[in-house]
Amino acid sequence: MKKLYIITGLLLFGISVRAQDQITNFGNIRLFGGTSLTTFGNFNNTGTLTVDSAVTLNNIGSLVNSGAISNLGTFVYSGSATLTYDGLSQQTIGKELPISGGPSSLIINNSNGVVLGIDATINNLTFTSGNLLIDGRTLTINGNVSNSSGTITGGANANLNFAGNSSTIIFDQTSSSTRTLNNFTVNKTGSTLTLGSAVEVNGNLNLNNGTLATGGNLKLNSNATGTSTIPAITGTGAITGNVTVERYVPSSARRWRFISSNVMSSTLEDWRGEIFITGAGVGTSVGYTNSNGFDATISNAPSVYSYDEAVAGSLNSGWVTPSSTNTSLVVGKGYRVFIRGDRSSLTRLTGVDNSQNAVTMNLIGGVNTGDITMPVTYTNNGSSTDDGWNLLGNPYPSPYNWDSYWNSGNLGFNGTFYSKIDPTIYIWDASSNTYKSYNALSSSGTISAGIIASGQGFMMKATGVSPSLIFKEQFKSSSIPTQLFKTKQNDELQISLTLDSINNDLFILKHNANASFLDDVYDIKKWANPTVNISSYDKDSIFHTLDARPIAASNDTINLNVTGSNGTLKLFVKAMPANGKYYYLQDLYLSNTIHLFENTTYSFTIQSSIIATFGLSRFRIIISDNNSLPVAFGKFEATKNQKQVQLNWNTLTENNSSRFEIERSNDQGGFLSIGVLEAKGNSSTLTNYQFIDAQPSFSTINYYRIKQIDLNGNYTYSNIRDISFLLYPSINSTNISLYPNPAKDKLSISSSQVIKGDCKIYLYSVNGNLVKQFQAIQSTSNEFEINLTGISEGFYFIKFIDPIGNIITEKLFVQ
């Protein structure tokens, strides 16, 4: 047996020192580059050890450090070596004792603790005394952990990778920060890592291989800066035991939110631990628990709803309330929850405090992993627009990529993992007080990149009987992208309608060669918001928040429906297509035309007493091949003049305009030219035109449009107007009126013409859904009365169909 004692000091220059047993340093040693220490015993340092550059430690049984170390270089481990820290003061790996390479074993025997000063990979980790602080670094463990006498201290920037043998890890419980990790990875097939104490994760919990046994000690944090995520499990990774999953809700106004449970076996009572949950029951006073477990209020109005797709009627008929707070939260189901803030003040229940402060909600249970069969249904109640709607919820403690999922082997409404499912999802965004949406077929919308957030509920539509929807682990998203949209924006026009810092809405015009100019699967139908709305519509009268349509061969016109509160609003251009076309916004009320490439903000005023300041006829978008619009159409009217039809129109501007061709059709399809008028050519002021059709049809409806042709042969069309000379004259917007408007209980529809026969009257929401069909009561020969009792407050459209099928649509506000 050999022993080497160093009493006074030693300088080693690029040489090898070998011993069978141990080297003990009582004096000072200075190691220079190229030095190799090889021993089968221990290397004990009690003096001062100076490292100038890389020194190799080869097959050392244990390098025990209790003396001073001057760090000028690094130790490079070669083979198997154990590093023991048992100094008298806190030491830092990578500073007091620099290391590089591995694997090596680490023994912590320092009551003052050891700091991980570099990213390190070790084999076995043993605690004799003290803590190992890894904040700001990444520690990888490839072997066993023994920490019955010591703990790991984490931190907000600490990363721990476990790829070792079945072990138990104990974390320092001094505070929340000492038991916190940024990213936590378990990656060892066939082994189990058990949490012997509480641990919190801010970033990703990666379950690659092996099992994480939580013992109820794991919490996934959520706060203003982010929400912890369990990304897609690609190997044999598994997790057992309960997990506390948080969901941070930022401060805004008291509003409804779509939320869901991402754990198993939770109830409404779990949410009630952080927020007020109100509902039906007998309670003694505000704030007390009523007979069904809800927080009592004066009205006991429910603050939680789920959605029953099977209920017949309009889209709004399916909302149902839970019977008590013991109601289980169904995995994959969404809930509409009114969040007042946290439970810190009863004044949020009484209405004295109408603010909503930030609150962190949590659920406790086993987390959902693997395939999840979503509770989607379809009931045929006879209305294709109202049937099949489901409020679902993201079942995973992770964002979910709806775009990637829906497009995985997509075959129309049937894909690899779903059947009879529409590509569009909707969520309610409390921050903007509007619906957000995303169409996976168009890969576009106002939900960022088509990502469904952790704990997020969403509306979607089944398209036929026996639908299926199976969420798959592989389509989890590890993080939500910072950009608003996933797809390229150079094929989209995005216009935001803004009332204030909270209330705004977004309209997207997306060019897609596979889409049509009318409603189809590439579009997103508009869902009405309570304050501001912007959408498009065409001759099918269906409103879209995403209007997907091909690029027209020449010019195209997109009609907008813009509604909002009285006052000044703004239109912002957030994205412009880069396709060689030019985009213009026309304000028909003020006779303004705005070049959207040059003017990205437009302010305007809405006055509810003046219908022309909002709604269907104020704004439209013109797409042209020219940098200056050949013609900006203004008003276009068609009226009867004895047995003739008089057409009047005007232009707001003209540029190199050649002529107008007047076209007529009897079916809105085959238009034929019936006359030509020469255009003024160039003008920046209002110009009026008139044409008389002396030979209209008396046996069919006459449809008219104006085709403007410029000097280069490019052309654009006006809107279509219709006139009828049939036995029962047609009803149009110039000879019909609604009063009172706004209306409350009753509405009268009056025509300047005598109407004989049955008329049909329908009430539609602003997103095109049928709300009610009325039994019209004809009070006089030209007036009808309908009952509006039970109709919720808001904007609607009245569709009036006369006895021969002529249709007019008017806007109505119900108080």
Side-chain angles (χ1 to χ4, degrees), residues 107-186:
I107 299 174
I108 305 297
N109 185 28
N110 186 334
S111 60
N112 294 295
V114 175
V115 178
L116 186 65
I118 59 171
D119 295 341
T121 299
I122 64 173
N123 189 9
N124 301 316
L125 175 62
T126 301
F127 290 90
T128 302
S129 175
N131 300 334
L132 173 61
L133 174 63
I134 61 174
D135 192 21
R137 298 296 180 181
T138 298
L139 173 64
T140 300
I141 302 172
N142 288 331
N144 297 314
V145 177
S146 175
N147 58 350
S148 58
S149 301
T151 61
I152 290 177
T153 300
N157 297 310
N159 301 308
L160 177 61
N161 300 331
F162 181 79
N165 304 320
S166 294
S167 299
T168 298
I169 290 185
I170 299 175
F171 288 83
D172 183 4
Q173 300 298 301
T174 302
S175 66
S176 174
S177 62
T178 62
R179 60 176 178 263
T180 297
L181 295 172
N182 179 28
N183 296 316
F184 188 9
T185 300
V186 179

Side-chain angles (χ1 to χ4, degrees), residues 234-249:
T234 57
T236 61
I239 184 169
T240 62
N242 285 344
V243 178
T244 300
V245 181
E246 291 188 338
R247 176 69 266 178
Y248 175 80
V249 180

Side-chain angles (χ1 to χ4, degrees), residues 507 519 523-526 535-536 542-547:
F507 167 73
D519 180 63
D523 300 314
I524 298 179
K525 293 181 177 64
K526 175 66 177 176
S535 59
S536 68
I542 298 177
F543 298 93
H544 293 134
T545 188
L546 167 66
D547 191 340

Side-chain angles (χ1 to χ4, degrees), residues 182-183 201-208 220-221 225-234 247 394 396-402 404 449-454 472-482 486:
N182 179 28
N183 296 316
V201 179
N202 286 341
N204 290 339
L205 173 61
N206 302 299
L207 303 174
N208 297 341
L220 302 181
N221 290 334
T225 60
T227 297
S228 181
T229 292
I230 302 180
I233 302 172
T234 57
R247 176 69 266 178
N394 181 357
Y396 302 114
S398 166
Y400 196 75
N401 193 319
W402 175 257
S404 296
I451 303 294
I452 306 170
S454 176
K472 306 290 287 186
E473 178 83 19
Q474 68 205 67
F475 298 107
K476 287 179 178 179
S477 176
S478 60
S479 61
I480 298 178
T482 55
K486 182 179 179 181

Side-chain angles (χ1 to χ4, degrees), residues 533-553:
N533 293 274
I534 179 171
S535 59
S536 68
Y537 67 95
D538 214 298
K539 59 184 178 182
D540 55 7
S541 299
I542 298 177
F543 298 93
H544 293 134
T545 188
L546 167 66
D547 191 340
R549 56 203 290 139
I551 297 178

